[in-house]
Amino acid sequence: MATRDFAVRTETHVATLGDLGELHFVPEAVGTEFLDGYQKVQEAQALLGGEQDLTKMDPQVVRQVYAAMRLFLSGLMTSESAERFLRFEVVKGGKVAAHFRTREEADEYAKDLGGTARVRDESLRLPDRVLMDLMEWVTELYGGGNDRPTTPSSGSSRASRRAGTTGKASSRSKGSTRTAGRSAR
């Protein structure tokens, strides 16, 4: 019977945001949840057409990019952190009727309530640079960066066998050749 140990993260990842507290991310992305979310971010970024100057960008497209990034990040968070990070409340008569993670869902619900219902964005406010750093960090965590789980040496895979067979024949070369950077002894 063959056995093999696999390293699986079970502890949440924590992003500490100073006085704003912490955001907790799930230990491992499962299936294609990381790739699907990241693809949506890339599709939104493609709408910018490579433009780097904010003053030349379409504000609606920039909003779409930020919304895609925030939705992507919240999809990798624990439910408690996601609730805090991305939250759109539908308010009617001074009371919160419901809350959603996307503006579109909240707008649709408010429209169904009619009249005085409005949407209030209660998402965690973060500077752009922090949002970008979070994107980079989760990409490393879930996309194969340097922060992969480690295993003990005994759990490492063995080196592949070398092709062919080892032989005892002597080299055809009668002398040695110099290699750059080495001196003959």
Side-chain angles (χ1 to χ4, degrees):
M1 172 171 78
T3 62
R4 182 170 177 170
D5 294 327
F6 292 90
V8 177
R9 286 190 178 110
T10 57
E11 299 290 323
T12 59
H13 304 286
V14 178
T16 304
L17 304 170
D19 292 340
L20 295 176
E22 298 176 340
L23 292 173
H24 295 246
F25 290 81
V26 296
E28 297 276 4
V30 179
T32 62
E33 63 191 359
F34 170 81
L35 294 174
D36 292 344
Y38 193 69
Q39 181 179 356
K40 289 176 185 170
V41 171
Q42 288 183 317
E43 289 168 0
Q45 287 174 329
L47 297 174
L48 295 174
E51 183 60 58
Q52 299 293 318
D53 184 357
L54 273 174
T55 62
K56 296 179 182 176
M57 294 179 194
D58 178 358
Q60 188 57 33
V61 173
V62 174
R63 282 186 190 93
Q64 287 176 316
V65 171
Y66 280 116
M69 288 179 2
R70 291 181 69 85
L71 191 59
F72 167 68
L73 288 169
S74 74
L76 296 170
M77 291 178 187
T78 62
S79 58
E80 297 82 18
S81 287
E83 278 286 320
R84 190 170 155 248
F85 182 72
L86 198 55
R87 184 181 180 93
F88 296 93
E89 296 179 346
V90 178
V91 180
K92 181 160 177 128
K95 294 184 179 180
V96 176
H99 60 273
F100 300 89
R101 284 204 193 146
T102 67
R103 180 74 188 219
E104 293 77 22
E105 291 172 318
D107 285 339
E108 191 66 32
Y109 188 80
K111 187 171 82 174
D112 290 345
L113 288 180
T116 61
R118 62 184 175 84
V119 175
R120 184 170 60 196
D121 185 352
E122 291 295 326
S123 302
L124 179 64
R125 302 276 187 248
L126 294 174
D128 291 349
R129 64 179 173 72
V130 173
L131 190 62
M132 297 302 173
D133 285 348
L134 279 172
M135 283 291 298
E136 186 176 313
W137 182 60
V138 299
T139 302
E140 290 172 8
L141 282 175
Y142 302 110
N146 294 330
D147 199 16
R148 287 204 165 283
T150 56
T151 58
S153 297
S154 62
S156 300
S157 60
R158 293 186 178 96
S160 300
R161 288 188 189 190
R162 294 193 332 205
T165 59
T166 57
K168 304 228 190 258
S170 60
S171 169
R172 288 186 221 156
S173 170
K174 298 292 182 202
S176 67
T177 53
R178 284 191 161 185
T179 304
R182 291 189 186 166
S183 59
R185 294 188 184 220

